[in-house]
């Protein structure tokens, strides 16, 4: 069965620090990859997605993620975080043959001002 | 556009009670789904629908029913609530069922079963 693993459940950083959130999945076939974010008091929303082409994808608010097929990874990065990036971040994957998303457990990110 | 709306935002039930969580979207989306989110776990798919009149089970369907009589509405029914159904429930929709589509989420319903 497919699964998605997010390495850190809680991350605390200071403003201007660099961010990398890990995401690994287990599935041998071709996949679509997503990062969603839930800001405090707001709906879950799409941050970025990858389904083909350049493995480095850029999303909203300066976030990017790199798909490394050989490592089954899709890590989320941001060079300099802001207090407003405080949120919970979810990685999700679906196989191209199956539209059901499999979700990671989420990472709660707290940015100290 | 209101997007995806869910009611109620909070609900407390006693074991054995039934209730319906409402979900509606005004984006004319074909695909709608219900997830539950539990602490330390990702979202898990309960049921989904690829169009009016078509529903199917997801990963954790037991204890829940759904129907899709219109494109806009996708209610989730708890038949006989159990403490294990204490969770946060999210409804989502997307333009199509194809895996590359962005899902749009409602605000969630926090359900407690005593």
């Amino acid at each position: 069965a497919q699964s998605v693993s997010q390495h850190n459940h809680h991350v605390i950083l200071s403003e201007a620090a660099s961010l990398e959130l890990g995401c690994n999945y287990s599935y041998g076939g071709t996949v679509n990859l997503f990062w969603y974010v839930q800001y405090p008091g707001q709906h879950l929303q799409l941050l970025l997605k990858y389904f083909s082409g350049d493995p480095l994808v850029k999303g909203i608010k300066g976030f990017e993620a790199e798909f490394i097929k050989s490592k089954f990874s899709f890590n989320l990065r941001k060079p300099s975080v802001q207090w407003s990036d405080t949120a919970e971040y979810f990685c999700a994957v679906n196989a191209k043959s199956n539209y059901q998303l499999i979700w990671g457990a989420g990472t709660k990110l707290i940015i100290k001002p | 556009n209101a997007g995806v709306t869910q009611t109620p935002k909070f609900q407390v039930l006693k074991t054995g009670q039934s209730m319906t969580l409402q979900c509606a979207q005004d984006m004319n989306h074909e695909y709608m789904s219900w997830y539950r989110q539990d602490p330390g776990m990702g979202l898990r798919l309960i049921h989904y629908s690829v169009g009016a009149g078509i529903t199917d089970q997801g990963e954790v369907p037991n204890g829940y029913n759904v129907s899709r009589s219109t494109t806009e509405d996708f209610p989730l029914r708890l038949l006989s609530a159990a403490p294990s159904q204490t969770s946060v429930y999210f409804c989502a929709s997307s333009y199509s069922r194809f895996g590359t589509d962005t899902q749009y989420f409602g605000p969630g319903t926090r359900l407690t079963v005593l």
Side-chain angles (χ1 to χ4, degrees):
Chain A
Q2 295 176 56
S3 65
V4 177
S5 174
Q6 292 184 238
H7 311 303
N8 305 99
H9 292 302
H10 292 89
V11 173
I12 301 174
L13 294 173
S14 298
E15 276 195 313
S18 64
L19 170 71
E20 182 160 2
L21 300 183
C23 173
N24 286 88
Y25 64 93
S26 65
Y27 180 70
T30 310
V31 294
N32 301 309
L33 300 149
F34 304 81
W35 277 97
Y36 280 82
V37 60
Q38 187 171 29
Y39 296 103
Q42 296 188 27
H43 302 197
L44 266 163
Q45 60 184 282
L46 181 72
L47 198 55
L48 49 79
K49 62 182 177 181
Y50 170 83
F51 49 90
S52 66
D54 187 344
L56 183 63
V57 292
K58 295 191 186 300
I60 60 171
K61 303 189 180 185
F63 285 90
E64 64 180 30
E66 185 175 14
F67 171 46
I68 304 179
K69 190 174 179 181
S70 60
K71 294 186 178 179
F72 299 92
S73 71
F74 190 55
N75 291 355
L76 181 70
R77 302 194 293 245
K78 186 170 184 179
S80 176
V81 294
Q82 301 171 310
W83 176 78
S84 58
D85 293 324
T86 293
E88 190 160 16
Y89 293 81
F90 294 90
C91 181
V93 177
N94 61 23
K96 286 193 187 289
S97 59
N98 178 338
Y99 43 79
Q100 293 186 23
L101 277 173
I102 306 297
W103 294 77
T107 298
K108 288 187 176 166
L109 174 66
I110 296 173
I111 306 299
K112 299 184 295 183
Chain B
N1 284 356
V4 180
T5 57
Q6 288 182 239
T7 55
K9 285 198 168 68
F10 301 93
Q11 183 70 48
V12 179
L13 292 177
K14 294 181 180 176
T15 297
Q17 288 184 314
S18 62
M19 79 159 294
T20 299
L21 307 185
Q22 301 292 343
C23 174
Q25 53 90 10
D26 61 359
M27 297 174 282
N28 201 31
H29 283 172
E30 178 182 273
Y31 183 81
M32 296 185 74
S33 55
W34 276 102
Y35 292 93
R36 60 177 288 173
Q37 183 189 17
D38 300 298
M41 303 183 73
L43 278 69
R44 291 183 293 166
L45 184 65
I46 304 171
H47 285 284
Y48 64 94
S49 168
V50 299
I54 307 169
T55 63
D56 207 346
Q57 296 181 350
E59 182 186 353
V60 289
N62 292 343
Y64 307 95
N65 272 356
V66 292
S67 59
R68 185 110 178 256
S69 55
T70 66
T71 300
E72 295 77 20
D73 300 300
F74 190 45
L76 177 73
R77 295 183 191 84
L78 279 71
L79 309 171
S80 176
S84 60
Q85 293 179 304
T86 293
S87 188
V88 180
Y89 292 85
F90 290 100
C91 180
S93 74
S94 60
Y95 179 71
S96 78
R97 65 182 189 180
F98 294 110
T100 56
D101 280 352
T102 299
Q103 293 207 24
Y104 295 85
F105 284 84
T109 294
R110 189 173 292 273
L111 175 68
T112 301
V113 182
L114 304 175

